[in-house]
């Protein structure tokens, strides 16, 4: 009857089904172009190459909107790998030898300083692990006390390459380029970090943390 049943942090709810508008931004166009390119590359693989992706696909699954766990197809696994590598500025791999995923490299915190207008990483490990790229995602500043940030609120702001120093990595320019401001003292900014293996394009589960803007 045109109703959508869903759940959020407050529990189950019902809403009217609506068709989202299409703002057709430049970023959307680039992402759609990336997906189109990856689909073309899949069709250009040899049958043997496609069969490798198909054989590895059952190791991965996704949860659909109904909460059902569904294994990936070979093409979906290829898309996952290719899109990860492209967001890291790397070329697509046509075939993989394993489905290894990178170990999680933890970031202790992000210090966002209102007076200095800076955002800096603080991590126990000094450099990004060899053979991986670390992706940094962030949200726009939110009001003080805010703790929840939906998946769509996180935007990729930086990719830190293997061997780069973490503790001297400044997020200031890339964050401000994306969002324009750190907000006010007490504002809350969400950050997420994951790593991508450059050999196969597979990533690990993202680490999430919240940073409160300090004076």
């Amino acid at each position: 009857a045109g109703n959508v049943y869903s759940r959020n942090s407050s529990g189950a709810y019902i809403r009217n089904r609506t068709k989202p508008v299409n703002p057709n931004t430049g970023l959307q166009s680039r992402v759609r172009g990336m997906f189109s390119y990856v689909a073309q590359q899949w069709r250009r693989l040899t049958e043997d190459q496609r069969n490798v992706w198909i054989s590895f696909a059952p190791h991965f699954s996704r949860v659909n909107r109904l909460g059902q766990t569904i294994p990936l197809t070979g093409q979906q696994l290829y898309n996952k790998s290719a899109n990860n590598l492209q967001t890291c500025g790397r070329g697509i791999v046509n075939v993989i030898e394993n489905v290894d995923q990178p170990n999680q490299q933890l970031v202790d915190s992000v210090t966002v300083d209102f007076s200095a207008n800076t955002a800096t990483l603080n991590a126990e490990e000094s450099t990004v692990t060899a053979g991986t790229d670390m992706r940094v995602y962030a949200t726009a500043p939110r009001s003080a006390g805010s703790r929840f940030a939906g998946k769509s609120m996180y935007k990729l702001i930086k990719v830190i390459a293997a061997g780069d120093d973490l503790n001297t990595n400044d997020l200031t320019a890339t964050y401000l380029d994306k969002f324009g401001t750190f907000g006010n003292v007490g504002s809350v900014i969400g950050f997420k970090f994951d790593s991508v293996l450059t050999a196969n394009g597979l990533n690990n589960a993202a680490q999430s943390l919240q940073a409160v803007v300090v004076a």
Side-chain angles (χ1 to χ4, degrees), residues 37-104:
Y37 172 73
V38 171
Q40 292 173 8
Q41 295 305 111
W42 169 258
R43 292 192 292 270
R44 291 173 181 170
L45 295 181
T46 66
E47 192 67 22
D48 287 342
Q49 289 173 329
R50 280 193 290 268
N51 285 336
V52 172
W53 292 98
I54 292 170
S55 68
F56 281 136
H59 294 276
F60 296 86
S61 60
R62 64 183 178 87
V63 178
N64 67 14
R65 292 182 178 180
L66 299 178
Q68 300 167 323
T69 300
I70 301 173
L72 297 185
T73 66
Q75 184 173 2
Q76 287 170 332
L77 180 59
Y78 177 80
N79 292 349
K80 174 184 174 73
S81 166
N83 291 328
N84 284 343
L85 289 170
Q86 286 194 105
T87 60
C88 292
R90 296 187 179 274
I92 296 172
V93 295
N94 289 333
V95 67
I96 55 176
E97 297 179 356
N98 56 61
V99 285
D100 293 341
Q101 293 172 276
N103 294 325
Q104 192 171 54

Side-chain angles (χ1 to χ4, degrees), residues 101-102 104 193-195 203-207:
Q101 293 172 276
Q104 192 171 54
F193 309 87
D194 74 351
S195 297
N203 63 309
N204 56 11
Q207 174 199 3

